[in-house]
Amino acid sequence: AVAKKILAREGIEVRGYTKEMAGVAADPKITWDDIVAHAESNIARCPDPAAGERMIAKTLEAKKNGDTVGGIIEVIARGVPAGLGEQVFDKLTAGLAHALMSIGSVRGIEFGDGFAEARRLGSENNDIPYYNEKGEVRFRTNRCGGMLGGISNGDDIVFRIAVKPTSTISMDQMTINVIRERNEKLAAETRRDPTIVPRVVPVAEAMTAIVLVDFLMMWNGYKSLRRDMEGP
């Protein structure tokens, strides 16, 4: 909460939502306004209400069978200034990856278009820069997810994380009995969540906010050092 307040003061907002769960994907045309208005409108935390209802139904079906489901969460940070991060040891991409991969059950992360970029030509994938009417450098596309060379470029920071299904299920599975030192079947008789995907959304937002605050502090520190070195 503190990190988000600091970011809000700087005009930065972080939003996350469930992009896919139980094999059901949200509309790929979802906008920032859709996320702000509808991400909290259902327990799936999906800003596409129709897809959210299908996600919930499929998850409850898995629960009824004693099983669990995973999904994909997308996080967007809007208003991040250009220049956060460094080329090697303190890349913004690396800082975010470290934080997001530290969340339990997160199994992967991709920035911007992610793995789809590996299948393109450079001419198809490059984000082309241009000067806008204010003389600012902007980009015509955001395939990189707002970071080039590990440094923010002023566009939206966009990434997705993969969340695995809850490990504890109420179905017979082979495992080991460490006391008797033998293989045997086990079905867990305990409380378990049919999915933790929607619960990870606010955690991912918080982790992102913390990382951005850290990098803003470094960025402001570098600017102060530069002013001191240049003198009055």
Side-chain angles (χ1 to χ4, degrees):
V2 174
K4 282 194 172 184
K5 287 181 180 178
I6 294 172
L7 294 181
R9 188 180 64 198
E10 301 294 326
I12 301 171
E13 188 173 3
V14 178
R15 293 277 180 166
Y17 70 96
T18 300
K19 188 175 184 69
E20 183 177 328
M21 188 169 76
V24 178
D27 187 338
K29 296 185 178 64
I30 281 173
T31 66
W32 173 263
D33 290 338
D34 293 331
I35 298 166
V36 172
H38 302 299
E40 294 296 322
S41 65
N42 54 72
I43 58 174
R45 284 198 161 105
C46 177
D48 176 351
E53 290 306 313
R54 293 197 299 275
M55 291 177 185
I56 294 167
K58 291 281 285 184
T59 302
L60 292 177
E61 181 182 345
K63 178 184 179 181
K64 184 178 178 181
N65 295 329
D67 219 335
T68 60
V69 304
I72 298 171
I73 293 167
E74 183 165 86
V75 178
I76 302 172
R78 176 157 287 193
V80 179
L84 300 192
E86 296 182 358
Q87 296 95 329
V88 182
F89 295 109
D90 283 308
K91 287 178 179 285
L92 181 55
T93 44
L96 288 168
H98 188 176
L100 274 298
M101 290 300 296
S102 297
I103 300 172
S105 296
V106 173
R107 304 298 294 163
I109 184 168
E110 64 173 2
F111 298 99
D113 286 359
F115 283 92
E117 296 184 67
R119 305 182 187 98
R120 299 176 184 146
L121 296 171
S123 57
E124 297 171 322
N125 192 63
N126 289 338
D127 293 308
I128 305 302
Y130 70 98
Y131 287 107
N132 66 12
E133 62 279 0
K134 298 179 181 178
E136 301 167 329
V137 176
R138 306 301 298 170
F139 294 85
R140 299 195 183 280
T141 53
N142 190 24
R143 300 184 184 102
C144 65
M147 293 167 286
L148 287 166
I151 300 173
S152 62
N153 68 2
D155 281 338
D156 289 351
I157 303 293
V158 183
F159 63 86
R160 286 164 298 284
I161 54 175
V163 182
K164 72 175 185 177
T166 314
S167 298
T168 305
I169 62 174
S170 300
M171 302 172 68
D172 284 344
Q173 279 195 313
M174 290 301 301
T175 185
I176 58 172
N177 185 322
V178 295
I179 296 174
R180 298 181 179 179
E181 296 185 346
R182 70 183 188 189
N183 302 318
E184 59 184 56
K185 284 186 178 180
L186 172 68
E189 296 180 2
T190 182
R191 181 192 176 279
R192 56 173 176 74
D193 296 311
T195 186
I196 63 168
V197 175
R199 294 171 60 183
V200 173
V201 171
V203 180
E205 290 178 339
M207 281 293 208
T208 303
I210 290 168
V211 170
L212 291 176
V213 168
D214 284 346
F215 276 78
L216 275 170
M217 292 174 69
M218 286 191 284
W219 188 56
N220 287 322
Y222 293 149
K223 288 196 296 183
S224 297
L225 284 172
R226 186 177 301 123
R227 285 195 298 268
D228 290 344
M229 291 174 66
E230 292 172 352

